[in-house]
Amino acid sequence: PDFPEVFNRRATLYYTMGDTRKSMADVQRVLSLEPRYFPAIAGMASILTENGEDELALKAWERFLAIYPAERTAQENMLKLSEKLAGSRT
């Protein structure tokens, strides 16, 4: 089916099972169907953070906030990553 929520739910299931590779593949499928599907973007950012891909995770949170700027958790996650990256550059 071409319904983003189906793939997002499966991505969440894979994530909870510890299979981030399959989860990320489904996240990519969601975003190919609906690029502004912010729950999938949040999932992608979380996976990237877990994998130590902080710069990519920061870009994902920026993308999320471009769609949903009032989301406090996303704001906090972006701030934490920004501070972490700023500290690693000095």
Side-chain angles (χ1 to χ4, degrees):
D2 287 337
F3 187 57
E5 182 59 21
V6 170
F7 292 101
N8 193 60
R9 286 182 186 233
R10 190 170 71 174
T12 302
L13 178 63
Y14 282 139
Y15 181 80
T16 58
M17 293 170 55
D19 194 336
T20 56
R21 185 185 58 79
K22 286 183 179 178
S23 180
M24 188 64 92
D26 277 348
V27 165
Q28 293 298 330
R29 176 74 173 150
V30 170
L31 296 175
S32 73
L33 294 169
E34 177 50 67
R36 296 176 48 89
Y37 197 84
F38 61 86
I41 298 169
M44 178 174 58
S46 296
I47 292 169
L48 291 168
T49 300
E50 271 187 29
N51 290 336
E53 302 279 347
D54 293 337
E55 290 183 23
L56 291 174
L58 181 61
K59 289 179 183 180
W61 285 121
E62 289 171 349
R63 180 176 173 183
F64 181 103
L65 289 169
I67 298 163
Y68 187 5
E71 216 302 303
R72 298 240 186 238
T73 302
Q75 293 170 356
E76 292 167 6
N77 288 333
M78 190 172 135
L79 181 62
K80 286 178 193 174
L81 277 173
S82 295
E83 290 173 350
K84 180 180 177 184
L85 288 169
S88 68
R89 290 183 186 132
T90 57

